[in-house]
Amino acid sequence: MHVIGQPVWGNAKQTYVVLTMESAEFGEIEFVADPTDCVERGRELYARALAGEFGEILPFTAEQPPISEVLTTKHTQINQWRDSQEQAPVEHNGHRWDADPTSRARIESVLLAGAMPLDYWTDADNTDRPMTLEQLRALYAAIVQQGGRIHDRQRQMKTEVAALTTIEEVQAYPVGWPIEEPA
């Protein structure tokens, strides 16, 4: 994906920037770049826009896009969050383990073969950890469980966003894991 066109402030307070991007998969899309985004790419694009890399940031205009466009943008943000979470390591048995599609495919091939090729598995921090086939099954189950939690959360967010009625509510909706209140 690359930026096309000039960035525009997304609101009068200038707290986020709207970038028009060209995606091989989706064509032309609007991307909301926010310094507090839970996805690193959003924070990075915001910093690059602020630094002037994509040209001057045009002022916010009160002319609002249709709510359908704002909903589409929010759904794109939710999908980007889901995709980034699926790439993130999983905590299991006191270690972080790669859980991206390539790592899952490697584990699946060993489980399908029914035999460990080595007596260890390498964690996300590149440390070899002793591992049996049963332990690898448990790791895979933890990865699948995390994938289910990610899927459930993104479905929940899309349902909550669909219930919102104003552009401001949709734009203000926080994408990510819910923030737990301190006890």
Side-chain angles (χ1 to χ4, degrees):
M1 255 189 332
H2 64 277
V3 175
I4 57 175
Q6 237 173 330
V8 178
W9 285 110
N11 60 13
K13 293 182 181 179
Q14 298 184 339
T15 58
Y16 64 93
V17 175
V18 178
L19 300 169
T20 304
M21 311 213 35
E22 183 69 33
S23 162
E25 186 176 355
F26 302 110
E28 187 175 307
I29 62 168
E30 283 193 349
F31 184 93
V32 175
D34 184 325
T36 63
D37 200 322
C38 66
V39 178
E40 184 177 342
R41 178 112 170 114
R43 295 187 307 269
E44 175 213 338
L45 287 170
Y46 178 84
R48 291 171 60 193
L50 211 58
E53 188 173 324
F54 311 121
E56 176 187 358
I57 302 175
L58 297 177
F60 170 77
T61 60
E63 180 183 314
Q64 294 285 346
I67 194 161
S68 61
E69 285 183 27
V70 177
L71 285 167
T72 298
T73 299
K74 189 58 71 170
H75 277 234
T76 299
Q77 291 174 343
I78 292 169
N79 290 342
Q80 290 168 338
W81 172 86
R82 177 204 59 215
D83 293 347
S84 73
Q85 291 296 301
E86 289 175 344
Q87 297 295 321
V90 168
E91 294 282 333
H92 177 70
N93 274 355
H95 303 289
R96 294 175 345 107
W97 302 93
D98 292 323
D100 59 88
T102 301
S103 298
R104 289 193 306 268
R106 286 186 186 120
I107 294 172
E108 289 166 0
S109 67
V110 171
L111 296 178
L112 185 62
M116 292 289 291
L118 303 165
D119 61 352
Y120 65 89
W121 202 257
T122 305
D123 68 16
D125 299 314
N126 207 29
T127 302
D128 296 337
R129 305 283 178 191
M131 181 78 65
T132 65
L133 189 60
E134 284 308 310
Q135 290 169 325
L136 189 64
R137 277 192 186 99
L139 170 58
Y140 189 70
I143 292 170
V144 170
Q145 290 274 331
Q146 180 66 6
R149 285 190 292 275
I150 293 165
H151 176 77
D152 186 53
R153 178 62 183 146
Q154 65 96 22
R155 296 297 305 147
Q156 178 187 19
M157 286 189 286
K158 287 179 179 179
T159 299
E160 290 171 355
V161 165
L164 300 176
T165 58
T166 69
I167 288 174
E168 292 75 20
E169 289 174 322
V170 174
Q171 289 173 330
Y173 183 87
V175 174
W177 294 108
I179 297 172
E180 294 182 21
E181 296 295 322

